[in-house]
């Protein structure tokens, strides 16, 4: 079990659809331990469906998904529930339970295990909130937080069970560039500390090129290109180039906001 | 809990140290390891740990101290981390429930999935499946170690039941008044005014109180259940629970269903009594019927059986309203508009189900001669 070599996510021949509409066709994926894989693509290309299939919220029409060696399609509800303690998911808008405080939201998965002492729970919750830069927000209700803070809290909640796999749905969408860059850094920091494998679904090009080891471009429900950020950037496929080209154009005009953000570290510290 | 992992390092009796199964000491590994500490003085060898997480290390240390285990072979990073933990505070602050729970499989009725079935059929299946699952969670699962969330149910009971008392009482009292006035007007023709009491008592306890209360509760709480769940669904909160390994039906729906099925009979008995009180006010102060005559007539006409039958109806109506609200709430699609749509649908369908069920009940009771 040496880090980096082992394949922890293995998807073969995945197809999905709603009724007669085909959303995904013949998707193959392999993610190694400790890797950050980004799934990119225009809206409606099937990114979110792919993510939901990966975490077992939806069932595929065809194909198999292995996470950490388990075929998740074959798990019954109870085994799936237990298996899910090994994975974490960050939803687009945080998906915190609105009736609970941020601290209670983080404590929830730990309390549900019913064996972790309250004092340890308090410590883990405090540490995770600090890790995402939200110390002092434990007593707040989710609707008292900004969108970016909610996403961070969602990430903290996904981290409390020390997941081996972490999934993100649009972690930076709807955030200003500076906050988005901060979240990217948090994601990289989580990987550096825990060696966590991550799958990120996004259409934020700047974010994808910052955090990814590997990028998969999904167009019309099929994988159109796959490779390192540099390879994707230089991809000749017209559909991929058209999608990625927007980033090149932005960079050429000096409009890449993330570049600005990276050079004004002090601004981020003030948030 | 760590049953998803293969058990590798076996625990040997003769002082052989325990070892984590993999190179990564995370929360699951720590809990698993702690669960294998059989006797005080057990040694835990951490030499194989290459990676650790804060939660895993802290949990292991606290649980191991609790059970009198000792460590050896921890690497430099881990040692430094452990030294920085506020161990005394942690150890002093809690008392631990020692046993990991035994987890029981769900009944096969769970996991409703969207198939290519027509909407109505799928909704009905969901409704029936949820009903069966509710019975399982309330009647079977607690005996198998699963938790029935009574605290949450009490909170819901307060919201669904206690807070509904004023409006239910007001409407019931007015129903009693209206019934008594109408009945007295007709019965006066035959000089049988004192039978007003019988009519009010029977009509209220057996028919009107259950139906009127059900309509009020469907409007107040059926809609609230549907709207709350639907909002949670569209903001991914339900999915988030599932991904955390928490069954959203056991966690969210069962307490609501429990509260509404307990709350409805109580509200209906209350409504019956208040309604009879309303009729009594009319009779005594408006029709000049003597108090004792009205009282006697009521007792003569009304049996405990009538109250029980009314409460039985109420129990069923409560379950119907709760299941309808839950089903529509959980099956929402399409954002804020969808939330509005399923809330309306939940209330309308609840009304129809309650009225139809009431007709069936009354027919059944009539045929059975109750």
């Amino acid at each position: 079990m040496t880090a980096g070599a082992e394949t922890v996510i293995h998807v073969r021949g995945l197809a999905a659809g709603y009724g007669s509409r085909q959303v995904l066709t013949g998707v193959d994926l392999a993610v190694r331990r400790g890797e950050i894989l980004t799934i990119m693509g225009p809206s409606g290309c099937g990114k979110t469906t792919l993510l939901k299939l990966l975490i077992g919220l939806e069932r595929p029409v065809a194909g198999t998904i292995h996470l950490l060696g388990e075929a998740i399609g074959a798990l019954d509800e109870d085994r799936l529930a237990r298996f899910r303690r090994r994975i974490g998911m960050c939803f687009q808008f945080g998906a915190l339970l609105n009736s609970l405080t941020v601290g209670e939201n983080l404590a929830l998965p730990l309390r549900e295990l019913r064996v972790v002492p309250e004092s340890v729970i308090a410590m883990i919750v405090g540490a995770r909130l600090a890790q995402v830069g939200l110390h002092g927000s434990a007593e707040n209700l989710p609707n008292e937080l900004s969108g970016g803070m909610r996403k961070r809290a969602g990430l903290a909640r996904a981290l409390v069970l020390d997941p081996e796999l972490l999934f993100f749905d649009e972690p930076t969408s709807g955030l200003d560039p500076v906050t988005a860059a901060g979240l990217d850094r948090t994601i990289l920091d989580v990987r550096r500390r825990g060696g966590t494998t991550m799958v990120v679904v996004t259409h934020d090009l700047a974010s994808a090129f910052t955090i990814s080891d590997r990028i998969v471009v999904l167009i019309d429900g099929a994988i159109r290109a796959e490779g390192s950020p540099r390879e994707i950037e230089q991809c000749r496929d017209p559909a991929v180039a058209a999608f990625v080209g927007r980033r090149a154009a932005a960079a050429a005009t000096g409009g890449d906001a993330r570049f600005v953000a990276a050079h004004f570290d002090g601004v981020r510290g003030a948030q | 809990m760590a049953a998803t992992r293969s058990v590798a390092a076996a625990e040997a009796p003769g002082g052989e140290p325990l070892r984590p199964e993999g190179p990564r000491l995370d929360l699951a590994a720590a809990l698993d390891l702690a669960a294998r500490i059989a006797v005080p003085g057990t040694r835990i060898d951490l030499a194989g740990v290459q990676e650790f997480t804060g939660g895993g290390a802290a949990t292991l240390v606290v649980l191991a101290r609790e059970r009198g285990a000792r460590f050896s072979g921890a690497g430099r990073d881990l040692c430094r981390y452990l030294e920085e933990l506020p161990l005394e505070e942690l150890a002093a602050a809690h008392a631990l429930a020692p046993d990991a729970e035994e987890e029981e499989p769900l009944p096969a009725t769970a996991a409703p999935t969207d198939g290519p079935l027509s909407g109505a059929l799928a909704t009905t299946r969901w409704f029936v499946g949820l009903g069966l699952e509710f019975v399982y969670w309330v009647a079977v699962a607690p005996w198998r170690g699963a938790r029935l969330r009574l605290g949450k149910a009490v909170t819901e009971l307060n919201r669904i039941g206690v807070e509904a008392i004023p409006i239910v009482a007001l409407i019931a009292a007015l129903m009693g008044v209206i019934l008594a006035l109408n009945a007295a007007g007709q019965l006066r023709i035959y000089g049988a005014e004192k039978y007003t009491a019988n009519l009010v008592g029977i009509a209220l306890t057996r028919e009107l109180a259950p139906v009127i209360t059900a309509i009020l509760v469907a409007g107040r709480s059926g809609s609230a259940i549907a709207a709350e769940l639907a909002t949670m669904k569209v903001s991914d909160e339900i999915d988030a629970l599932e991904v955390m390994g928490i069954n959203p039906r056991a966690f969210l729906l069962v307490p609501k269903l429990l509260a509404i099925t307990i709350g409805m009979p109580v509200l209906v008995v209350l409504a019956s009594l208040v309604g009879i009180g309303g009729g009594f006010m009319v009779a005594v102060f408006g029709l000049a019927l003597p108090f004792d005559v009205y009282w006697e007539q009521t007792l003569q006409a009304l049996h405990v059986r009538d109250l029980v039958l009314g409460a039985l109806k109420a129990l069923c109506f409560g379950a119907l309203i709760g299941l309808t609200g839950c089903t529509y709430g959980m099956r929402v699609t399409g954002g804020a508009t969808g939330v509005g749509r399923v809330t309306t649908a939940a209330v309308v369908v609840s009304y129809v189900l309650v009225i139809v069920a009431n007709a069936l009940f009354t027919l059944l009771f009539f045929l059975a001669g109750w």
Side-chain angles (χ1 to χ4, degrees), chain B residues 205-228:
Chain B
T205 48
R206 292 183 66 124
E207 302 293 336
L208 283 172
V211 171
I212 295 291
T213 309
I215 283 176
L216 285 172
V217 168
R220 272 188 90 254
S221 304
S223 59
I225 290 172
E228 182 185 342

Side-chain angles (χ1 to χ4, degrees), chain B residues 58-358:
Chain B
T59 305
L60 179 62
V61 169
V62 171
L63 293 180
R65 281 177 68 109
E66 188 81 20
R67 292 159 199 201
R70 294 138 43 96
F71 298 101
S72 65
R76 197 160 47 90
D77 285 350
L78 184 54
C79 279
R80 196 181 305 149
Y81 185 85
L82 295 180
E83 277 163 17
E84 286 171 9
L85 286 176
L87 285 181
E88 299 309 322
E89 290 167 39
L90 289 179
H94 78 276
L96 177 73
D99 295 316
E101 84 268 42
E102 280 295 311
E103 307 209 11
E104 285 300 319
L106 282 178
T109 55
T113 48
D114 278 70
L117 288 156
S118 71
L121 190 55
T123 304
T124 311
R125 270 180 42 170
W126 225 100
F127 184 95
V128 173
L130 182 61
L132 295 173
E133 200 179 340
F134 172 56
V135 173
Y136 167 80
W137 282 110
V138 171
V140 183
W143 307 104
R144 297 181 172 185
R147 183 161 30 146
L148 187 59
R149 292 158 203 275
L150 287 175
K152 289 186 77 144
V154 169
T155 311
E156 295 289 345
L157 190 58
N158 188 42
R159 206 175 295 163
I160 293 169
V162 178
E163 288 176 15
I165 288 176
I167 181 77
V168 167
L170 174 69
I171 303 288
L174 290 176
M175 290 306 295
V177 168
I178 293 164
L179 265 182
L181 287 173
N182 279 294
Q186 294 301 310
L187 292 169
R188 182 180 286 155
I189 301 169
Y190 307 100
E193 267 173 305
K194 69 172 186 177
Y195 290 103
T196 301
N198 307 37
L199 214 153
V200 169
I202 293 291
L204 268 173
T205 48
R206 292 183 66 124
E207 302 293 336
L208 283 172
V211 171
I212 295 291
T213 309
I215 283 176
L216 285 172
V217 168
R220 272 188 90 254
S221 304
S223 59
I225 290 172
E228 182 185 342
L229 293 175
T231 308
M232 292 182 77
K233 181 83 181 174
V234 299
S235 58
D236 290 335
E237 290 177 40
I238 307 277
D239 282 351
L241 283 174
E242 287 217 29
V243 174
M244 286 188 278
I246 299 170
N247 184 322
R249 293 180 298 287
F251 184 78
L252 284 175
L253 273 51
V254 170
K256 290 183 197 297
L257 290 169
L258 192 60
I260 204 166
T261 42
I262 292 172
M264 267 294 289
V266 179
L267 281 176
V268 163
V269 170
L270 188 85
S272 303
L273 299 179
V274 173
I276 291 170
F280 165 77
M281 298 299 252
V282 169
V284 174
F285 297 111
L287 309 175
L289 265 181
F291 170 79
D292 53 341
V293 172
Y294 195 93
W295 180 243
E296 215 169 278
Q297 287 297 326
T298 301
L299 285 186
Q300 200 184 4
L302 207 60
H303 302 287
V304 175
R305 189 187 61 198
D306 299 311
L307 278 173
V308 170
L309 290 181
L312 185 70
K313 278 185 174 180
L315 185 93
C316 173
F317 296 166
L320 287 176
I321 295 166
L323 288 171
T324 308
C326 288
T327 302
Y328 277 91
M330 293 292 276
R331 290 179 55 78
V332 67
T333 50
T337 325
V339 175
R341 205 181 50 236
V342 295
T343 307
T344 307
V347 174
V348 172
V349 171
S350 294
Y351 286 172
V352 173
L353 289 178
V354 163
I355 302 291
V356 170
N358 187 55

Side-chain angles (χ1 to χ4, degrees), chain A residues 124-172:
Chain A
I124 296 175
V125 167
R128 290 313 187 192
L129 281 175
Q131 189 179 358
V132 300
L134 281 181
H135 26 244
S137 298
E139 302 303 320
N140 289 96
L141 286 168
N143 58 20
E144 295 166 347
L145 302 184
S146 71
M149 289 163 89
R150 261 180 255 175
K151 280 175 189 271
R152 283 167 179 278
L155 170 58
R157 184 179 63 183
L159 288 173
V160 292
L161 288 184
D162 294 334
E164 292 165 69
L165 303 178
L166 200 49
F167 298 87
F168 293 86
D169 189 11
E170 305 279 5
T172 54

